[in-house]
Amino acid sequence: MTGAPRDTTYVAISRGRLAVSLVLGAGLAAALVFAIRGRSVPAIDLAMQVDDALDSSGVSHEITAVLLNFRSYDTLLEIAVLLAAAIVALALRAPVAETTPSAATTHDVAKAIDTPVLASLVRALHPMLLLLAGYLLWAGSSKPGGAFQAGAVIAALGVIRRVSGVAPGADALSRWQRSTLLAGFTVFLVLGAGMLLLDRPLLAWPVDLSGVLILAIEAVLTVSIAVSLIGLFASAPSEQTSTRPSGTPRP
Amino acid sequence: MTTLLQSAPLFYALVGALLVAIAFTAFAAHTHVLRRLLAFNVMGTGSFLILVGLAQHTRGPDPVPQALVLTGIVVAVASTALALVVFRRWYEATGHVVLPEDERA
């Protein structure tokens, strides 16, 4: 960080603001507890409906069945949100010209890669995390697991590679990575819309193909989710690249 | 009070309600953008607890709200990460950690 050192971790709260917040918070707590007390039992038993339809979903785990079959539009929109967030984050990256040459290379932490312990640890983590991600992806159809969990593990590997300096030029996604960002949403949407050609509703998988389709979509989603999360992590400006004028006055 | 603690899911829903209220208080009281983001995340977690807890109180495990919450968690992670990118970019550009509207207040 450049400029005069000043405390940016805490901003004092005025007493009036705190009092109003406490009153509003207490009111919200009372309203929520009142609402929970006065709840009504829903007329439709969704859990039973899922149970009845599980055999036609292509997977044997209820949550995966809901996520990728019964309510797959939720998951389609979820990956769209992730894609939008990643695109906005990449668009907000500081222009390369703005950063100084030394700061533009990579995070400062990268210098730590000289340590043999860190280097071998990162190397050893690669197969373990990839195996774990593959297992989670496969497990999703019958037990807890799935595309997001697997994608999060791969993203963790990407973050480790970046902070340890293994991934060179870590401040941006490569062209290849940027195209995989789009893959999850595109494959999902094309397959879902393809159902219309088979005279089926949007995203309504045929019973005999649903298992294969769900696994294929989850595999592509895993890659896209991982790259989106890595992109979001990588596009946050690091403190070294700070270009703000030093000693900005504080009001 | 005993009627409120009939089952573990209902207890989770009440804890969720409490979390939402506490986080809302913090969200309204603090002006630092990162503290607001943290408070907002806790508020989201509270609402997830309410959603899953209330649905499972009467009929046991229900995969539909669980799937909704899973989707919600992913959206929350994505929006938190995006908010962090925006905040850091904004701090980098202006050197401020409080939004102008709050500084005037």
Side-chain angles (χ1 to χ4, degrees):
Chain A
M1 204 186 329
T2 59
R6 64 186 172 82
D7 188 17
T8 54
T9 55
Y10 186 75
V11 177
I13 314 165
S14 72
R15 211 167 274 184
R17 193 182 186 106
L18 185 64
V20 172
S21 307
L22 283 172
V23 171
L24 286 176
L28 182 62
L32 283 172
V33 171
F34 179 75
I36 290 176
R37 278 180 71 121
R39 75 201 173 276
S40 54
V41 179
I44 305 164
D45 190 346
L46 287 172
M48 208 154 74
Q49 289 191 2
V50 171
D51 226 34
D52 289 344
L54 193 59
D55 286 339
S56 64
S57 70
V59 288
S60 57
H61 193 246
E62 295 93 341
I63 295 175
T64 308
V66 173
L67 279 176
L68 283 149
N69 200 327
F70 306 143
R71 289 187 63 99
S72 46
Y73 50 87
D74 277 2
T75 311
L76 179 65
L77 293 179
E78 166 197 303
I79 190 71
V81 167
L82 202 56
L83 176 66
I87 289 176
V88 174
L90 288 173
L92 278 175
R93 280 187 312 120
V96 179
E98 242 184 63
T99 56
T100 57
S102 62
T105 50
T106 179
H107 293 262
D108 203 34
V109 205
K111 286 168 193 149
I113 199 62
D114 289 336
T115 325
V117 177
L118 180 63
S120 51
L121 176 69
V122 172
R123 256 200 310 279
L125 279 175
H126 274 80
M128 282 161 65
L129 289 181
L130 288 176
L131 187 66
L132 179 62
Y135 168 74
L136 283 171
L137 174 65
W138 180 251
S141 57
S142 56
K143 38 181 142 351
F148 185 75
Q149 288 86 334
V153 169
I154 297 180
L157 180 64
V159 170
I160 290 171
R161 281 165 59 88
R162 267 155 208 275
V163 296
S164 64
V166 169
D171 282 341
L173 293 180
S174 65
R175 190 179 292 263
W176 179 83
Q177 283 172 319
R178 266 179 278 159
S179 56
T180 55
L181 263 185
L182 275 167
F185 181 69
T186 313
V187 168
F188 203 159
L189 188 64
V190 165
L191 284 177
M195 294 302 122
L196 295 171
L197 298 176
L198 303 177
D199 266 349
R200 301 180 61 86
L202 186 72
L203 295 167
W205 317 125
V207 176
D208 47 337
L209 277 178
S210 52
V212 183
L213 283 176
I214 287 175
L215 190 65
I217 291 170
E218 285 216 283
V220 188
L221 283 185
T222 302
V223 179
S224 282
I225 288 167
V227 176
S228 305
L229 293 177
I230 294 171
L232 280 163
F233 175 81
S235 45
S238 63
E239 294 195 55
Q240 285 77 33
T241 59
S242 177
T243 52
R244 72 191 171 83
S246 55
T248 311
R250 191 181 186 179
Chain B
M1 201 60 201
T2 46
T3 55
L4 284 177
L5 299 173
Q6 293 155 344
S7 70
L10 193 60
F11 177 69
Y12 293 147
L14 286 169
V15 171
L18 203 65
L19 274 179
V20 169
I22 293 171
F24 178 78
T25 309
F27 184 80
H30 285 287
T31 53
H32 194 299
V33 283
L34 285 187
R35 282 170 199 271
R36 284 220 156 145
L37 182 62
L38 282 177
F40 200 70
N41 265 280
V42 175
M43 220 191 296
T45 309
S47 66
F48 294 153
L49 268 176
I50 297 176
L51 186 54
V52 170
L54 267 192
Q56 300 189 165
H57 169 52
T58 39
R59 296 198 180 109
D62 186 340
V64 177
Q66 289 189 23
L68 290 182
V69 164
L70 265 175
T71 306
I73 290 171
V74 177
V75 172
V77 167
S79 50
T80 302
L82 181 59
L84 282 173
V85 170
V86 172
F87 290 166
R88 290 193 71 151
R89 187 82 181 90
W90 189 67
Y91 173 71
E92 189 190 55
T94 68
H96 292 208
V97 292
V98 176
L99 294 176
E101 290 83 358
D102 287 322
E103 275 171 353
R104 259 182 264 126

